[in-house]
Amino acid sequence: MADSGTYVIDETREACEMQAKYLELIAACRALKPLTSDEEQGILRAYTMAREAHAGTRRKSGEPYIFHPLAVALIAVKEVGLGPTAVMAALLHDVVEDTDITLDELRMVFGDRVAKIVDGVTKIDDVMLMQQTESKQAENYRKILLSMCNDAYVIFLKLCDRLHNMRTLGSMKDTKKLIIASETSYLYIPLAHRLGLYSIKTELEELVMRYTNPEKYAEIEAKIAATAGTSEQLEECLIQPVRQMLDEAGFQYTLKTRTKSVYSCYKKMENKHIDFDEIFDLYAMRIILKDVPREHEREECFRVFALISGKFTTNPNRFRDWISHPKNNGYESLQTTVMTPINRWVEIQIRTERMDVIAEKGMAAHFLYKEAHPEEHIENNPVEEWLQQIRTSLEQSDKSALDLVEEFKESLYTKEIYLFTPHGKTITLPSHSTVLDFAYAIHTNLGNHCIGAKVNARVVGRSERLHTGDQVQVLSTENTKPTEEWLNECLTPHAREAIKDALRARRKEFVAEGKRRLAEYLAKMRMRNNPQNFGQLKRYLSQPSDIDLYYDIAVGNITERQVAECFGKVRPAPSFFFHETQTTPFLLDQEYENYPTETAPCCKPVQGDQVVGIVQGDRIMVHRTGCKVAMDEMANHENHVVRAKWRPGEQLSLLTGITLTAIDRKGLLQEITRHISDELDLNMRAITLEASEGVAHGIIMLYVNDVENLNGLISKLKSIDGVEDVRRI
Ligand code: MN
């Protein structure tokens, strides 16, 4: 760990060290995979560009800045196993943020992917900054998280960057140390966990604890040191006998041992409320079987387990079979804990070489394998699936920035549940999965017709959450088909995608009707029905596909008016106006002059009422000033309020409503309608009159010219014999 204050600048020595680091980097890349001359050129060019761009800049520790990108690149290759593209991006990861070099320049020299990765890494820093100021720009935030999830390399590199910063934290100011350490435990440790970069995760945890809880760290470190010597004893009473057994049985294997890290001990003691002495797996031994054919892996691991449990006392509560039911991150292993002759429990993990790679690198192993073998078609890539899942949830989300981070973090700790079909087949799904997820996991067709399930003999709906151990029998009918709401009844990206596919297929059935209507609309406004105009409409309404556009037109989600708006042929808002006019009946604030207006259906203002405008989407909704809906809106969205007045001298008939209560009697209805139609010459649209227990309640919808007109009618109605009460709606 770099120490502050002791650094001596010596440029000749530094130049030598730089060169040595660079050669070490190239050697590490070659050890992973032979480099093509293009790749080697690219790495050299990235190194040269970064070195020159950062020239003259030094880190807090005093050393030249370029040592940091070099170290990050080395971690990427040696500790994660990333290849040349990641190495170039690692070398360049700070140039856009800290030097004059632009993304465009990077794109020109190194291509699109490297530029995108650097861009993503740069943006994560912005996110962390925003989170500290609790910025309200949720939309911005979502975009950044999305760009970060576009390429797994971004996350891998950010972790390498963070690991190096944590390793060299010593030279930072104390407050800065705490900020970086808490960021690390807030976001980067969960990320490392989810990706399965376990050794990086463990090291980050150790470093965080060392800076945030130094006393406890020292205390446990001392206790672990006090058991020194135990490893030697275990060698004699456990490891030697196990080796002998395995050799005699003819196994090919590697044997590894480890002592639990300070932080893991601490966490176990805290979580389980136990003392240091009660930690079962302070020592662990791992048996890694070599050259086992895939189909014999499970059986071979169990053979080893049988040998061990024949010789040592095992703790039955601590047996775990992660081979029959692998964890969601791909982890497979048999685990048992045995009592040793020196009276210490030791955890034993039994696995094959293939399982070991996955256990050490988790999801990352799958990802790296796929990167290294682009020619092979590998279906399930957990990293890609996970990123897709995050993208899906970010895309549909309308939540606040803070909720988004929380949700994102939660997704880092997703656990899995094990479910059974009626035939006893196991289905593994993320926890909180529903019946619908289960149905789609079995077969798309079953999902598409799912109406619910029998879960442990109980009948439940599609959205019922499932739990480990549930036996699930999906119920389906041919007549059931997916609807938009189904998207809320499931969790897995697989189910969501299948539902979207089904909806898209359904939408196709509406294409003909959509085409017919669109042609009719366009003809009416004398627009050509050609691809240019169609394209313009699609962009204007932000429709993802032709099918979506036709569908929305066919079912009326997109109206003739919206089509007209697209081509600048807007007619005034029709809804509540009795006759059509080219201008709105309202005078509005100057900046909203040309907006279409609509009288609000909640309070139905008429000429003479005091009114206020509220921006609603692309139009102004005009309310009476006392309207409850309007007041709520004004309280919450000050900037939506528009001053509005009735245009003087306009003669308009507006639809309004009144309620009436009266003692029911014969001829009441006729008298009311006669007053409205004959005496006042008003246009009545609808009247309902219901009587119960001698009291009549009526609602009358009618067109009036202005508020005086209306008040006149109200007093006329009140004068009718038996009418108790008349009021505006
Ligand atoms: Mn950096």
Side-chain angles (χ1 to χ4, degrees), residues 296-311:
H296 296 306
E297 284 184 328
R298 187 170 181 275
E299 160 199 339
E300 292 290 284
C301 290
F302 269 96
R303 271 182 63 207
V304 173
F305 172 70
L307 283 177
I308 287 175
S309 51
K311 176 131 185 131

Side-chain angles (χ1 to χ4, degrees), residues 437-496:
D437 287 309
F438 184 89
Y440 275 111
I442 292 180
H443 197 276
T444 306
N445 211 29
L446 191 60
N448 281 340
H449 300 293
C450 172
I451 52 168
K454 249 187 194 171
V455 176
N456 310 327
R458 194 169 58 94
V459 175
V460 299
R462 270 190 303 265
S463 59
E464 180 86 2
R465 276 191 186 175
L466 299 171
H467 303 96
T468 284
D470 282 347
Q471 195 187 58
V472 188
Q473 183 189 353
V474 175
L475 305 171
S476 64
T477 64
E478 273 303 307
N479 294 334
T480 303
K481 284 182 180 131
T483 63
E484 297 274 342
E485 285 90 77
W486 285 32
L487 293 169
N488 302 322
E489 296 177 348
C490 63
L491 176 85
T492 56
H494 174 71
R496 294 183 61 84

Side-chain angles (χ1 to χ4, degrees), residues 65 68 93-94 161 165:
Y65 197 87
H68 167 64
H93 82 269
D94 275 334
D161 181 41
N165 286 335

